[in-house]
Amino acid sequence: MSASPLTPLDYIAEGYWQDFLARRPIAGGIAYETELHNCALDESLESLQRIDTLLSQVRRDMMKGGIWDEATLLVDEHYRNFMVFLAFYAGRVLAQQWQNKPHWYGQFELRKRYPELSLITDDFYQHMAVGYGDNNAATDALPLFFPLEPIGLRLFGNIDRPFEAVQGGQAESGLYQAVSARLPDLSDQASNTDTLSYLKTESATHNTTQSIHSTIDSSTTISTSQPASHYEASEDVPVNNELADVNIVSANIERPSAATTVSKPLVSTAPRQPELQAKPELTKTESPATKPMAPVKTPPTPEMFTQLLIELDEIEVPQTAGVTEYQQACKVLDQFEQHIAKQDKPRGQVVFSDNHRAAKNKALLALQAAAEAGNTAAMLRLAMYELLGEGLTADDEEAKKSGVEWVKQAASKNDSRAQRLLSKLYYQGVGMPQDIDSGKYWLEQAADNGHIEAANLVSQWEQAQALITTQKQEQHSIKRYQLLFGAVIVVAVLILIIV
């Protein structure tokens, strides 16, 4: 069978590569040309790792410089040529692994050759693909690769800007992962181990940012329907009515930590990436028989408050009043929290004896005294119990109002922990009507006062807003470029036909 005729993109790809090797200027210019030469592009798989590192650095630099704007960069010829060159190079490396020559197709050829593909005309990342292997090869997918997809994800991906692959699922997080997933032979164990190790590292270190609402609003819904009287006593729990001597689990109990409570979801910019597609023979040796999954346990305490308890320990806020009362109350309440954290049921179903409830109420009174003296940590801890329906206020509605007021009072004193908690209450509508604007305001206040998590979320918010405000500009700019690009290809095809 005769080889397929060369396409216009084949000529362009070869010209880009030869110009790069000869250190001649690529037509139109290319961004980061010096950095690309420093990556030692020797057509090896390892060189793709170096490119991924460069792409991550480019992303960070653009964000720091305030130019992280996808639409603007796509109409900048230097940045566009940079991405197209990397796509050509990745296709070259992949085809070499298959011992073939890369064969490039624009959308015109793709629609004719692969009509089953759903291509979006205005999508820059779907504008070209490389054929790299044998159509008859034992592979689950077409021997076709859209390399602009992982490049775009690496540079601009986040929860508000996902990159869905033309061939299904989501684009891979980088060129090394994308090319490795399409290798013709992964039977060499050492090579495969290195690949899997790298991909695990990439998956852990290159998650694109998650949206503000996903992070802030995804906490477990708070139930305030169970009163404190439902607590149950454990028979082996000794009780002492002295405030500082209540023993619920042991004498050396610590406050619940991230290890004994539900960890807060990680903040991330990248959509979850598919794992490396292993060959059938690897599946037999590396994938053990699937075991039934254990049922997911519901944490006894809502994540919002387990996180608050951790912050009360880890974030230092100087206090000038009520310190002794607060510390004494915490000695008792920490033991209750530790006991509840070990239960396999919601805290509202854990019932304590009358003696235990009396000891807890005494601790809450000490906590209230500290809060009234101006101790913001005591205000927050007391607010938590009021919002959970376990505080000193009997009426549920009044308890919620009391809890919210304590949080607001602490927030007004510039306690970053209180400001972060108040933003969550507004976002989730806990104890008050949901108010996104107020939630954002208090999130920004917490960030300004040094709350690291809040600062990260504000940064992500600003990035998401920048993408939203430039969406129309992006669509217009990309469409204009696509039309220009398509016109060039049509002219090239006509010239080939005439010649």
Side-chain angles (χ1 to χ4, degrees), residues 70-85:
E70 184 180 9
T72 300
L73 294 173
L74 284 182
V75 296
D76 185 316
E77 190 174 22
H78 290 76
Y79 280 96
R80 194 170 62 246
N81 287 344
F82 170 65
M83 296 173 69
V84 171
F85 172 81

Side-chain angles (χ1 to χ4, degrees), residues 8 10 22 71 97 105 134 148 162 197-198 326-327 419 437 468 495:
D10 285 332
Q97 296 293 318
Y105 307 103
D134 184 356
L148 286 172
S197 176
Y198 175 80
Y326 175 72
Q327 291 176 345
Q419 292 167 339
D437 290 336
I468 293 172
I495 292 175

Side-chain angles (χ1 to χ4, degrees), residues 30-37 54 58 61-62 67 79 82:
I30 181 172
Y32 302 101
E33 185 170 0
T34 300
E35 289 81 358
L36 283 173
H37 283 289
L54 173 61
V58 168
D61 290 344
M62 289 192 299
I67 60 171
Y79 280 96
F82 170 65

Side-chain angles (χ1 to χ4, degrees), residues 69-311:
D69 188 304
E70 184 180 9
T72 300
L73 294 173
L74 284 182
V75 296
D76 185 316
E77 190 174 22
H78 290 76
Y79 280 96
R80 194 170 62 246
N81 287 344
F82 170 65
M83 296 173 69
V84 171
F85 172 81
L86 292 181
F88 285 149
Y89 179 76
R92 188 179 190 89
V93 173
L94 178 57
Q96 180 174 276
Q97 296 293 318
W98 283 80
Q99 299 183 357
N100 282 326
K101 276 196 164 187
H103 202 53
W104 288 93
Y105 307 103
Q107 278 202 356
F108 175 83
E109 293 93 351
L110 287 170
R111 294 183 190 280
K112 184 176 181 180
R113 188 179 181 92
Y114 302 105
E116 66 272 26
L117 294 177
S118 298
L119 299 174
I120 301 175
T121 302
D122 293 334
D123 193 331
F124 168 75
Y125 304 98
Q126 297 181 9
H127 236 349
M128 60 189 213
V130 61
Y132 57 85
D134 184 356
N135 277 305
N136 297 320
T139 178
D140 294 332
L142 291 171
L144 199 64
F145 178 35
F146 289 80
L148 286 172
E149 292 174 340
I151 295 171
L153 175 58
R154 196 79 172 189
L155 287 173
F156 305 110
N158 60 57
I159 193 65
D160 291 321
R161 181 64 174 98
F163 282 76
E164 295 182 356
V166 173
Q167 294 170 293
Q170 293 174 326
E172 292 90 342
S173 180
L175 289 173
Y176 184 90
Q177 180 176 342
V179 170
S180 296
R182 295 167 173 79
L183 293 180
D185 183 15
L186 294 178
S187 60
D188 181 75
Q189 188 64 36
S191 175
N192 187 53
T193 300
D194 290 342
T195 299
L196 292 175
S197 176
Y198 175 80
L199 294 182
K200 289 177 181 177
T201 302
E202 283 298 293
S203 177
T205 59
H206 186 67
N207 287 329
T208 50
T209 54
Q210 293 186 341
S211 70
I212 288 292
H213 297 294
S214 174
T215 303
I216 297 174
D217 300 336
S218 63
S219 300
T220 306
T221 302
I222 298 175
S223 173
T224 56
S225 60
Q226 296 292 346
S229 60
H230 282 264
Y231 289 170
E232 147 183 72
S234 178
E235 294 183 359
D236 59 349
V237 177
V239 177
N240 188 315
N241 285 331
E242 291 301 319
L243 183 61
D245 295 327
V246 176
N247 297 307
I248 294 202
V249 182
S250 69
N252 298 316
I253 289 179
E254 298 178 357
R255 185 165 303 183
S257 65
T260 58
T261 59
V262 175
S263 299
K264 184 169 181 58
L266 295 177
V267 177
S268 105
T269 86
R272 186 187 178 114
Q273 303 304 325
E275 295 181 357
L276 179 65
Q277 298 175 1
K279 292 291 184 181
E281 62 269 24
L282 291 180
T283 303
K284 294 178 182 178
T285 58
E286 295 187 5
S287 299
T290 303
K291 296 181 180 180
M293 294 182 63
V296 178
K297 296 181 180 179
T298 302
T301 303
E303 184 274 338
M304 176 188 294
F305 296 126
T306 58
Q307 183 66 23
L308 173 63
L309 292 176
I310 293 172
E311 290 186 0

